[in-house]
């Protein structure tokens, strides 16, 4: 009976695969030319890279709510798992420690470069934030307990800063410009850079905290 | 020159087959740890696919977040689950 | 077949493969893997279906990737909680086994 069920399921999904493959290869009905539309208003967005313009300006609302989603996920994880106690350090392998000492500055530098590059070419707060988060995880694995202590004390401040600054900008544009997140073209560049800088920090801290909730710093001997 | 123009489609096909294979191994390998490793490989190949689709921003995000951080999270979870119910499909 | 159509069809196949794994799988971590692959396949269809160098789907997919990792982290914590505290060695728990 179970075998029959699996066979029927496989058959149904094969049919679904066929229909989907056929459907996605149908020509798309020509609608509005979105890329041309975006390229047309790129000059007013404050950045010259279209993806960053969409993320931080044209659809900034999405990005704001995405940062909120990260915060909510962090809240959920924090409810489930407490931060691990610092284990005193010192017991981490020498290779890992040396590797971290070598890689950490480079990772931080590349993350900041990605943030800066986002204005004109591929890059941005999310990619940079992920890289900075990876650097944070490496630091934790290498036994940097001071970093863990800072994280423990200031977790919600650091993780909430991105949303806070984004909301402050949103409120500012609402008061002075009249539209929520309607960035004025003259100041859009600097505003986007400010939002992205704090978002970078918050994304990195949130990702490290999510990792801390999931994993234990297992490589250490007490 | 004719061989050169055939190269991109062949590359796309190769990448598609590799993606399917790694996804299949990630989803059907019995042990969890190899499955996670295949999942990370899948993420890295997907980053290559984003480059082929001219989406470098997505490729960066996929390599850093989709493969890197998700992989780290999954491995940490597998390490904590280890020794209990590892051989369920 | 052009490159774009190739990746769109690949997305459809990956979706069905991971859907199958999602239904069949017993271990919750495997289901999380399946959901992740499923999300990636939807992103593939989304980007391959749009025109080349269309920034709008790219931005939305970047958003989607970050949301996916947040959801995965939450799901992993839930399943670790479901699995209960480990009976085996947990040095940080402060108990001396044997």
């Amino acid at each position: 009976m179970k075998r029959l069920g699996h066979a029927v399921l496989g058959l149904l999904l094969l049919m679904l695969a066929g229909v989907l493959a056929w459907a996605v290869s149908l020509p798309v009905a020509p609608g509005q030319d979105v890329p041309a539309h975006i390229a047309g208003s790129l000059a007013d967005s404050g950045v010259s890279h279209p993806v960053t313009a969409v993320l931080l300006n044209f659809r900034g609302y999405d990005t704001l709510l995405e940062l909120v989603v990260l915060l909510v996920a962090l809240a959920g994880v924090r409810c489930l798992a407490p931060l691990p106690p610092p284990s005193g350090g010192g017991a981490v392998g020498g290779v890992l420690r040396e590797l971290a000492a070598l890689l950490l500055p480079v990772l931080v530098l590349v993350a900041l470069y990605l943030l800066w590059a986002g204005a004109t070419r591929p890059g941005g707060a999310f990619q940079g934030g992920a890289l900075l988060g990876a650097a944070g995880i490496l630091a934790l694995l290498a036994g940097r307990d001071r970093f863990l202590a800072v994280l423990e004390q200031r977790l919600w401040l650091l993780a909430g800063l991105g949303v806070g600054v984004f909301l402050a900008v949103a409120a500012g544009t609402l008061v002075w410009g009249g539209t929520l997140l309607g960035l004025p073209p003259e100041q859009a560049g600097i505003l986007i850079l400010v939002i992205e800088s704090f978002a970078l920090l918050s994304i990195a801290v949130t990702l490290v905290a999510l990792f801390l909730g999931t994993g234990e710093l297992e490589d250490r001997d007490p | 020159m004719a061989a050169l123009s055939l190269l991109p489609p062949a590359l796309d096909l190769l990448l598609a087959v590799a993606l399917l294979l790694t996804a299949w191994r990630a989803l059907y390998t019995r042990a969890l740890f190899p499955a996670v490793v295949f999942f990370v490989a899948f993420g890295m190949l997907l980053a290559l696919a984003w480059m082929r689709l001219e989406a470098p921003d997505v490729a960066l995000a996929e390599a850093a977040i989709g493969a890197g951080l998700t992989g780290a999270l999954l491995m940490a979870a597998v390490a904590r689950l280890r020794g209990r119910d590892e051989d369920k499909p | 077949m052009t490159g774009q159509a190739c990746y769109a069809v690949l997305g459809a196949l990956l979706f069905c493969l991971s859907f199958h794994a999602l239904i069949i799988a017993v271990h919750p971590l495997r289901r999380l893997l399946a959901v992740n692959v499923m999300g990636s396949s939807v992103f593939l269809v989304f980007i391959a279906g749009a025109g080349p160098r269309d920034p709008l789907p790219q931005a939305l997919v970047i958003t989607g990737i970050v949301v996916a990792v947040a959801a995965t982290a939450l799901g992993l914590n839930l399943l670790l909680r479901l699995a209960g505290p480990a009976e085996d060695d947990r040095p940080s728990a402060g108990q001396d086994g044997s």
Side-chain angles (χ1 to χ4, degrees):
Chain A
M1 205 56 214
K2 201 175 171 194
R3 268 208 131 113
L4 184 70
H6 278 195
V8 170
L9 177 66
L11 202 67
L12 280 176
L13 282 174
L14 268 181
M15 280 161 61
L16 179 65
V19 171
L20 281 180
W22 171 71
V24 295
S25 43
L26 287 176
V28 183
Q32 286 181 320
D33 192 358
V34 179
H37 208 72
I38 291 171
S41 37
L42 198 58
D44 289 340
S45 74
V47 288
S48 60
H49 185 52
V51 177
T52 308
V54 172
L55 267 177
L56 271 302
N57 198 337
F58 303 145
R59 296 202 63 111
Y61 200 60
D62 282 357
T63 309
L64 172 60
L65 289 180
E66 177 191 3
L67 292 176
V68 176
V69 167
L70 270 178
L71 265 189
V72 171
L74 179 62
V77 170
R78 281 274 73 87
C79 290
L80 291 167
L83 277 174
S87 64
V92 184
V95 175
L96 186 56
R97 201 202 308 265
E98 291 299 313
L99 184 73
L102 212 63
L103 272 182
L104 280 177
V106 182
L107 278 173
V108 173
L109 190 68
V110 175
L112 292 178
Y113 167 74
L114 276 177
L115 174 74
W116 182 252
T120 52
R121 55 184 84 95
F126 291 107
Q127 293 88 338
L131 220 61
L132 200 59
I137 292 175
L138 185 65
L140 285 179
L141 290 177
R144 307 276 169 111
D145 276 333
R146 226 176 56 199
F147 174 56
L148 185 64
V150 171
L151 209 60
E152 219 162 325
Q153 283 164 3
R154 302 263 183 270
L155 177 66
W156 289 107
L157 175 70
L158 291 172
L161 214 52
V163 175
V165 169
F166 214 144
L167 276 179
V169 171
T173 53
L174 188 61
V175 169
W176 282 293
T179 47
L180 192 71
L181 283 173
L183 303 181
E186 303 86 47
Q187 289 97 37
I190 187 74
L191 282 178
I192 287 180
L193 190 63
V194 169
I195 294 173
E196 278 201 303
S197 307
F198 287 102
L200 174 96
L201 184 67
S202 288
I203 291 167
V205 167
T206 308
L207 290 173
V208 172
L210 288 177
F211 177 81
L212 268 181
T214 309
E216 288 174 276
L217 305 173
E218 300 225 18
D219 287 346
R220 305 171 171 199
D221 300 319
Chain B
M1 287 315 269
L4 212 61
S5 66
L6 269 180
L7 194 62
L11 192 64
D12 284 340
L13 264 185
L14 192 67
L15 203 51
V17 171
L19 277 165
L20 268 178
L21 276 179
T22 45
W24 174 60
R25 294 305 293 162
L27 296 175
Y28 295 96
T29 308
R30 286 189 78 84
L32 284 178
F33 184 73
V36 170
V37 174
F38 274 112
F39 180 79
V40 173
F42 171 80
M44 285 298 174
L45 287 171
L46 195 58
L48 283 181
W50 295 132
M51 284 312 291
R52 291 289 305 153
L53 285 166
E54 300 183 52
D57 292 87
V58 186
L60 273 173
E62 182 73 42
I65 306 175
L69 278 165
T70 312
L73 282 168
L74 287 166
M75 281 183 191
V78 169
R80 273 178 70 174
L81 285 170
R82 175 163 288 169
R84 271 175 287 169
D85 37 14
E86 196 162 26
D87 49 4
K88 282 188 203 165
Chain C
M1 201 192 302
T2 65
Q4 301 242 325
C6 169
Y7 287 112
V9 171
L10 170 70
L13 295 181
L14 275 177
F15 183 86
C16 291
L17 185 75
S18 47
F19 195 20
H20 183 257
L22 180 66
I23 296 173
I24 296 288
V26 178
H27 200 287
L29 195 128
R30 183 87 55 183
R31 296 190 177 193
L32 267 180
L33 281 183
V35 170
N36 265 298
V37 176
M38 228 167 166
S40 300
S41 71
V42 173
F43 297 154
L44 260 180
V45 173
F46 191 25
I47 286 200
R53 299 187 194 186
D54 190 347
L56 185 66
Q58 291 190 21
L60 294 185
V61 165
I62 292 173
T63 310
I65 291 175
V66 177
V67 171
V69 75
T72 306
L74 188 56
L76 282 174
N77 274 275
L78 283 171
L79 90 84
L80 284 172
R81 198 55 186 256
L82 271 178
E87 303 87 15
D88 50 16
D89 51 336
R90 281 185 69 182
S92 60
Q95 75 229 2
D96 282 333
S98 74

